[in-house]
Amino acid sequence: MTDVTQQMKNISHHIYIDGQLRKSKASDATDVIEPATEAVLGSIAQTTDAEIDDALASCAVAQRKWWRDFSALDRAAAMHEMADKLREMRAMLAEALTREMGKPYKEACDEVDWSIHSLRHSAEMGRNEQGRVMGPAVAGQFHYTLKQPRGTAALIMPFNYPLVLLAWEAGAALATGNAVIVKPSEYTSLTTLLFAEATKSLPDGLFQVVTGGGRVGQHLVEHDNTHVVAFTGSVPVGRAVAAACGERIKPSLIETSGNDPFLIMPSAPLDIAARAAAFSAFMNCGQICVSAERFYVHQDIHDEFVEKLVAETAKLRIGNGLDKVDMGPMVAAKERDRYETLLKGAMGEGARAAIGGSRPAGFNQGWFVEPTVLVDCTPDMSVFHNESFGPVAPICKVRDFDEAMELANASKYGLGANIYTMDLEETIRATEDLEAGMVWVNAPLLDNDAGPFGGSKLSGMGRQLGPEGLETFRETKMIMIDPRCDTQDFWWFPYADDTMHPKAK
């Protein structure tokens, strides 16, 4: 047993309350299974309602008594200390994430790094602007706005990027003066509890982690002592969270599924486009909300592109993320079963696997699948209209740019969209007309802490990152001050006689 696996065992059945790991009083627990080996890493508690209530009471004290009244400078300094601690914990967190979720160690290290960068950016953004002064409606008065925290932010996290998405949302919430309570995915709760140890620079109770399933998330969403909810997950659950928040007039950030298109036009350098396509479809075993899941390739270059993409796919090394690999297993047997059912459905509708399509040989344990390129696809196939969330690249041949754009937009999702082209007119049209919250031209999947992340249609509502991301976690208050305390007879009682209706004179 390694030091990291021992640490994961040690924090089993714990929650993070009042600045420390605490054994949960819950009687129910769920095993945490390593997806590459199927070994039991530990267990997580199904946190009790009473423990959640206590945690939220502690959040309220920490936020109201301390954090809300910290200067923006002091809040930023505490968050930078948190980022420094994450830097120290980088190797440990990356190994824990690889063991618990399955992604390659390199990708796990990247995720820790991105978390650090995002926290630092949010810390400084919180210092940057907390309102604005406007020209007064009445001469001599002072009119301005204040940006104030909402209170306690409940964050319900996914398994695919449990650290960086937590850093995005918790960073924005903390930088704007809120407390944070986190409900991680049941697949990545132990890594999240380890992450919590980096928050020692914050007031006790300001950052809390409660583990468990849907009941725990529902209690947080419906609780009177949570004041904003951020959810990342499936469409059905996202709808339920949004409805529950709407019923309570509680602000929410909802990020659900994606089914992102990837267009390849004749002007694109095909060697680069093929490498980009393989990365976009197979990174993190395809378990990314912005994975490229629908490929529309111009007929003039279709065959050559498929040949190159198949060659790139064949190079991928599959295995335990702690070895020299490019792609690890899927996160759970349940997820692999779901993905394989989708893949089988596509082939039943006429798609053919140019490469892949099954489980890799030589693996007697673990939830591994082959990266797959599907050809002979038509745009009406179910795989083009549902999120695959697995390593598959279905390719549809198109006549021209216009058909590619039409098919790209014929989706109930609108998270991201990709295009490879060197044609300036196609570039401008794609950026303006693709129905998505983000468009990548020759630069797939990139994020930028300074710019917004989010989608449209069934992909969700609201934005993370950038100035827009801060607004999720704060509200704007309008202030008007008359320093002279003058009378305002231009509209106060009694109304002047000459303003009355002519019949009244």
Tab-separated table of all heavy atoms in Angstrom, residues 14 78 81 86 96 143 158 178 214 290 341 367 407 417:
chain	number	residue	atom	x	y	z
A	14	HIS	N	-15.187	9.930	6.285
A	14	HIS	CA	-15.032	11.242	6.909
A	14	HIS	C	-15.776	12.312	6.108
A	14	HIS	O	-16.064	12.143	4.926
A	14	HIS	CB	-13.557	11.636	7.010
A	14	HIS	CG	-12.823	10.961	8.139
A	14	HIS	ND1	-12.591	9.607	8.165
A	14	HIS	CD2	-12.259	11.467	9.278
A	14	HIS	CE1	-11.906	9.296	9.268
A	14	HIS	NE2	-11.708	10.404	9.956
A	78	ALA	N	-5.444	35.002	1.738
A	78	ALA	CA	-5.793	33.673	2.248
A	78	ALA	C	-5.956	32.673	1.113
A	78	ALA	O	-5.575	31.496	1.238
A	78	ALA	CB	-7.077	33.759	3.072
A	81	GLU	N	-2.591	31.599	-0.163
A	81	GLU	CA	-2.032	30.580	0.726
A	81	GLU	C	-2.616	29.211	0.404
A	81	GLU	O	-1.911	28.193	0.438
A	81	GLU	CB	-2.319	30.931	2.188
A	81	GLU	CG	-1.475	32.055	2.752
A	81	GLU	CD	-1.703	32.219	4.243
A	81	GLU	OE1	-1.667	31.209	4.969
A	81	GLU	OE2	-1.944	33.357	4.680
A	86	LEU	N	-1.855	23.831	-2.210
A	86	LEU	CA	-2.152	22.891	-3.295
A	86	LEU	C	-0.891	22.550	-4.081
A	86	LEU	O	-0.711	21.407	-4.519
A	86	LEU	CB	-3.216	23.467	-4.230
A	86	LEU	CG	-4.658	23.468	-3.735
A	86	LEU	CD1	-5.566	24.132	-4.767
A	86	LEU	CD2	-5.150	22.045	-3.456
A	96	ALA	N	-3.905	10.498	-6.091
A	96	ALA	CA	-5.217	10.149	-5.556
A	96	ALA	C	-6.288	10.249	-6.632
A	96	ALA	O	-7.169	9.381	-6.740
A	96	ALA	CB	-5.555	11.066	-4.379
A	143	HIS	N	-24.406	58.345	-6.464
A	143	HIS	CA	-25.065	57.097	-6.831
A	143	HIS	C	-24.013	56.055	-7.234
A	143	HIS	O	-23.153	56.327	-8.079
A	143	HIS	CB	-26.032	57.313	-7.999
A	143	HIS	CG	-27.202	58.189	-7.660
A	143	HIS	ND1	-28.207	58.475	-8.567
A	143	HIS	CD2	-27.546	58.836	-6.511
A	143	HIS	CE1	-29.110	59.256	-7.996
A	143	HIS	NE2	-28.720	59.496	-6.752
A	158	PRO	N	-19.172	17.151	-10.317
A	158	PRO	CA	-19.105	15.925	-11.120
A	158	PRO	C	-17.814	15.164	-10.837
A	158	PRO	O	-16.940	15.637	-10.101
A	158	PRO	CB	-19.105	16.476	-12.546
A	158	PRO	CG	-18.298	17.736	-12.411
A	158	PRO	CD	-18.624	18.300	-11.056
A	178	ASN	N	-18.242	34.663	-0.013
A	178	ASN	CA	-19.189	33.631	0.412
A	178	ASN	C	-18.502	32.498	1.171
A	178	ASN	O	-17.298	32.278	1.038
A	178	ASN	CB	-19.878	33.017	-0.815
A	178	ASN	CG	-20.679	34.020	-1.596
A	178	ASN	OD1	-21.827	34.302	-1.274
A	178	ASN	ND2	-20.081	34.578	-2.651
A	214	GLY	N	-27.618	11.430	-4.020
A	214	GLY	CA	-28.631	12.408	-4.380
A	214	GLY	C	-29.360	13.021	-3.204
A	214	GLY	O	-29.722	14.199	-3.232
A	290	VAL	N	-17.133	18.908	-22.771
A	290	VAL	CA	-16.850	19.581	-24.042
A	290	VAL	C	-16.065	18.680	-25.001
A	290	VAL	O	-15.439	19.170	-25.943
A	290	VAL	CB	-16.094	20.911	-23.822
A	290	VAL	CG1	-16.996	21.938	-23.175
A	290	VAL	CG2	-14.817	20.716	-23.011
A	341	THR	N	-23.582	0.463	-24.347
A	341	THR	CA	-24.943	0.377	-24.891
A	341	THR	C	-25.135	1.407	-25.999
A	341	THR	O	-25.725	1.118	-27.054
A	341	THR	CB	-25.975	0.604	-23.769
A	341	THR	OG1	-25.837	-0.435	-22.802
A	341	THR	CG2	-27.389	0.601	-24.314
A	367	TRP	N	-12.105	-1.056	-15.899
A	367	TRP	CA	-13.221	-0.687	-16.766
A	367	TRP	C	-12.704	0.011	-18.029
A	367	TRP	O	-12.999	1.166	-18.296
A	367	TRP	CB	-14.205	0.171	-15.975
A	367	TRP	CG	-14.735	-0.602	-14.798
A	367	TRP	CD1	-15.308	-1.843	-14.828
A	367	TRP	CD2	-14.698	-0.217	-13.428
A	367	TRP	NE1	-15.649	-2.250	-13.565
A	367	TRP	CE2	-15.291	-1.265	-12.679
A	367	TRP	CE3	-14.246	0.924	-12.741
A	367	TRP	CZ2	-15.415	-1.219	-11.293
A	367	TRP	CZ3	-14.363	0.964	-11.368
A	367	TRP	CH2	-14.950	-0.101	-10.653
A	407	LEU	N	-25.993	21.024	-39.649
A	407	LEU	CA	-26.015	19.824	-38.819
A	407	LEU	C	-25.433	20.088	-37.434
A	407	LEU	O	-25.912	19.536	-36.431
A	407	LEU	CB	-25.248	18.693	-39.506
A	407	LEU	CG	-25.887	18.152	-40.790
A	407	LEU	CD1	-24.959	17.144	-41.459
A	407	LEU	CD2	-27.241	17.515	-40.499
A	417	ALA	N	-18.256	24.214	-29.464
A	417	ALA	CA	-18.217	23.817	-30.875
A	417	ALA	C	-16.809	24.076	-31.400
A	417	ALA	O	-16.162	25.065	-31.018
A	417	ALA	CB	-19.243	24.590	-31.696
